[in-house]
Amino acid sequence: MIPILLQLIRVFAPLSFLTIGGGQSIIPEIHRQSVDIHGWLSDQEFLDLFALSRLTPGPKSLLVTLVGWKAAGWAGALVASIAIFLPSAVLIYYLATIWKRYEGSRLIRAIEIGLLPIAAGMILAASGTILKAAQGGVWAWGTALACAAVLLLTRINPLWLLAAGGLLFALTHAVT
């Protein structure tokens, strides 16, 4: 069990520094490490834990706690949680004081503007990882792209799109 706990630290502590701004940015790497490299989970287990982490209140990095639990029980959940939350919390504590001191400066504004497309790209990569792991094929990708287009072009409530996606899924699976 100790080797697995050390693996959890080696995987999630470095990823902690990429979670600043949201844990969704590291989903592709969590999937790669937990499914492809270490084999702690199957694709289906990853999707199940991902869905569970989204349903529960709290930080979206909770997925890491669930991966740790699946890999090494309660000890794994604790170690994975500490590895994902502690390094970035310490970094943010110290960066916040520096950020506050130079707030409004050209450098800080440039950093903020530069980080926006990076965050958007990482979120897009996370969406692609989930769609690929779900193995939904053309229907899943088409539905995701259609929903993204509708959300970009209209002010429709996303819950209507979720309902429409669920209905589409039910209809296509009833036919096959």
Side-chain angles (χ1 to χ4, degrees):
M1 166 123 68
I2 298 295
I4 293 175
L5 297 176
L6 292 173
Q7 287 174 343
L8 289 167
I9 293 169
R10 279 194 300 268
V11 167
F12 294 125
L15 288 178
S16 175
F17 296 112
L18 297 176
T19 64
I20 299 168
Q24 67 273 11
S25 61
I26 61 169
I27 290 171
E29 188 60 16
I30 293 171
H31 178 270
R32 189 175 81 82
Q33 291 287 337
S34 61
V35 175
D36 300 335
I37 293 178
H38 296 287
W40 296 322
L41 307 167
S42 67
D43 270 335
Q44 187 58 53
E45 289 171 322
F46 180 83
L47 290 172
D48 292 344
L49 294 180
F50 174 79
L52 183 60
S53 72
R54 293 306 184 249
L55 289 171
T56 56
K60 297 309 173 202
S61 299
L62 180 64
L63 173 61
V64 171
T65 302
L66 297 172
V67 169
W69 171 71
K70 187 71 175 165
W74 289 107
L78 181 63
V79 166
S81 296
I82 291 169
I84 199 68
F85 293 118
L86 185 63
S88 61
V90 171
L91 176 66
I92 288 296
Y93 176 79
Y94 289 108
L95 281 179
T97 58
I98 296 169
W99 207 264
K100 187 69 175 164
R101 186 179 322 152
Y102 297 104
E103 187 176 29
S105 72
R106 288 179 56 203
L107 176 63
I108 296 298
R109 285 195 311 267
I111 291 170
E112 290 171 345
I113 291 169
L115 288 175
L116 286 174
I118 293 170
M122 293 178 88
I123 292 168
L124 189 60
S127 301
T129 298
I130 296 301
L131 284 170
K132 184 178 175 189
Q135 300 175 354
V138 175
W139 282 107
W141 285 91
T143 303
L145 290 173
C147 288
V150 169
L151 286 172
L152 286 172
L153 300 173
T154 69
R155 301 195 72 173
I156 191 171
N157 187 324
L159 293 176
W160 288 110
L161 294 176
L162 284 171
L167 181 62
L168 179 64
F169 178 81
L171 289 174
T172 57
H173 279 66
V175 172
T176 56

